[in-house]
């Protein structure tokens, strides 16, 4: 698939061929039509095998690595809910040291990626993320956002939209559901002065792939906020997973920008 052939003149920069090799393997335990798999698969096609994935607790972790099996064909580390940014910072710093000592070829590019949900990013992992961005570590932080703590029963998170009904913010006669607004994570990340921050939507896969490539080439931290449809949490039939994401952008609820 060549991006520029699909979108002539729009993304000349992204005129590259995605490899046939699959680094996010089939057979995972994600819910039917969960778009976490779409995000992870395309992310690794862009970043390639020289990638280390830091995966805090969340839907992706419990569904893609059930001992002794894994769906990640790259180095992968599971860490606690709140320290994705900290662990990635340590890995990135260690790679720099190993390059200086000649253990790793100084010209070899190794991508360090945090792949975390909204709970592990906008809430519990917020402090570690901020520190990572502030210090300028060359880490790609990918937040897949299903707008709630879906893995543990559909509780509200910092990215749950106003009015949404969750188990901890149920819609009723007096309260319309969640009474807070979605945390603007890209604006918060950009406020740290990082070189690249963007939103994406797996329904617009060419745009998402383009942004993975831009993030990988950034000279410093990159932050990607990706909307991710959730069958049980959003309460739709699995066959509509991509359509609801398209509608999010078509209606202006979700804007793809960088």
């Amino acid at each position: 698939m060549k991006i520029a052939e699909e979108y002539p003149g729009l993304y000349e920069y992204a005129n590259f061929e995605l490899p046939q090799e699959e680094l996010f393997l089939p057979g995972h335990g994600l819910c039917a039509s969960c778009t976490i798999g779409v995000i992870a698969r395309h992310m690794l096609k862009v970043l390639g095998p020289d990638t280390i994935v830091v995966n805090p607790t969340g839907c992706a972790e419990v569904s893609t690595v059930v001992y002794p099996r894994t769906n990640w064909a790259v180095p992968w580390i599971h860490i606690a809910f709140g320290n994705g940014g900290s662990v990635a910072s340590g890995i990135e710093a260690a790679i720099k040291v190993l390059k200086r000592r000649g253990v790793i070829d100084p010209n070899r590019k190794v991508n360090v990626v945090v792949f975390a949900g909204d709970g592990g990013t906008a809430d519990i992992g917020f402090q570690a993320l901020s520190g990572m961005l502030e210090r300028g570590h060359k880490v790609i932080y990918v937040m897949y956002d299903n707008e709630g703590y879906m893995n543990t029963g559909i509780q509200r998170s910092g990215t749950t939209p106003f009015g949404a009904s969750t188990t901890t913010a149920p819609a009723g006669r007096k309260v319309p559901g969640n009474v807070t607004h979605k945390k603007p994570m890209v604006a918060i990340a950009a406020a740290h002065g990082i070189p690249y921050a963007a939103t994406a939507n797996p329904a617009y896969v060419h745009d998402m792939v383009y942004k993975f490539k831009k993030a990988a080439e950034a000279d410093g931290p990159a932050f990607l906020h990706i909307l991710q449809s959730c069958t049980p949490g959003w309460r739709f039939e699995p066959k509509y997973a991509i359509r609801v994401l398209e509608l999010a952008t078509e209606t202006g609820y979700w804007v793809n920008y960088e």
Side-chain angles (χ1 to χ4, degrees):
M1 177 181 69
K2 284 192 175 181
I3 308 302
E5 289 177 359
E6 191 74 16
Y7 290 85
L10 182 60
Y11 292 140
E12 293 180 6
Y13 164 84
N15 186 20
F16 64 98
E17 194 87 29
L18 287 179
Q20 294 296 313
E21 183 182 17
E22 299 289 350
L23 297 174
F24 183 75
L25 306 175
H28 53 67
L30 295 164
C31 294
S33 82
C34 175
T35 46
I36 286 175
V38 178
I39 299 167
R41 180 180 179 230
H42 288 85
M43 176 184 78
L44 291 181
K45 278 184 175 290
V46 174
L47 300 183
D50 276 356
T51 300
I52 300 170
V53 175
V54 178
N55 193 184
T57 296
C59 289
E61 174 263 324
V62 300
S63 301
T64 64
V65 181
V66 180
Y67 182 82
R69 300 176 180 87
T70 179
N71 297 102
W72 302 86
V74 296
W76 176 95
I77 179 171
H78 168 226
I79 44 84
F81 222 148
N83 63 345
S86 301
V87 172
S89 298
I91 293 172
E92 187 261 1
I95 290 171
K96 285 182 177 177
V97 171
L98 292 174
K99 285 184 174 182
R100 286 201 301 268
R101 294 179 177 178
V103 178
I104 297 177
D105 182 349
N107 297 315
R108 182 179 178 183
K109 182 182 179 182
V110 182
N111 299 301
V112 181
V113 180
V114 181
F115 192 74
D118 46 292
T121 303
D123 295 345
I124 301 171
F126 190 77
Q127 180 180 6
L129 166 66
S130 179
M132 185 202 87
L133 300 178
E134 178 186 322
R135 292 188 298 270
H137 293 279
K138 186 169 172 48
V139 172
I140 304 167
Y141 198 112
V142 176
M143 179 177 82
Y144 61 89
D145 181 12
N146 52 28
E147 303 186 320
Y149 290 89
M150 304 309 187
N151 176 48
T152 52
I154 318 176
Q155 298 92 358
R156 72 160 297 281
S157 77
T159 65
T160 301
F162 179 83
S165 182
T166 68
T167 55
T168 51
R173 287 179 295 178
K174 293 187 177 181
V175 179
N178 186 43
V179 296
T180 60
H181 290 275
K182 190 176 181 72
K183 196 177 290 184
M185 289 303 297
V186 168
I188 292 169
H192 288 75
I194 64 175
Y196 190 71
T199 63
N201 181 338
Y204 300 86
V205 69
H206 300 86
D207 178 76
M208 183 175 71
V209 164
Y210 161 76
K211 287 167 179 172
F212 282 138
K213 193 169 189 292
K214 288 285 290 288
E217 295 175 353
D219 186 19
F223 182 83
L224 292 175
H225 183 175
I226 304 180
L227 189 64
Q228 177 248 313
S229 52
C230 175
T231 310
W234 293 12
R235 303 173 180 90
F236 61 83
E237 292 183 44
K239 64 181 179 180
Y240 295 121
I242 295 298
R243 184 57 186 145
V244 296
L245 289 173
E246 289 176 336
L247 287 169
T249 295
E250 288 173 8
T251 59
Y253 168 74
W254 180 264
V255 180
N256 294 321
Y257 72 96
E258 58 181 353

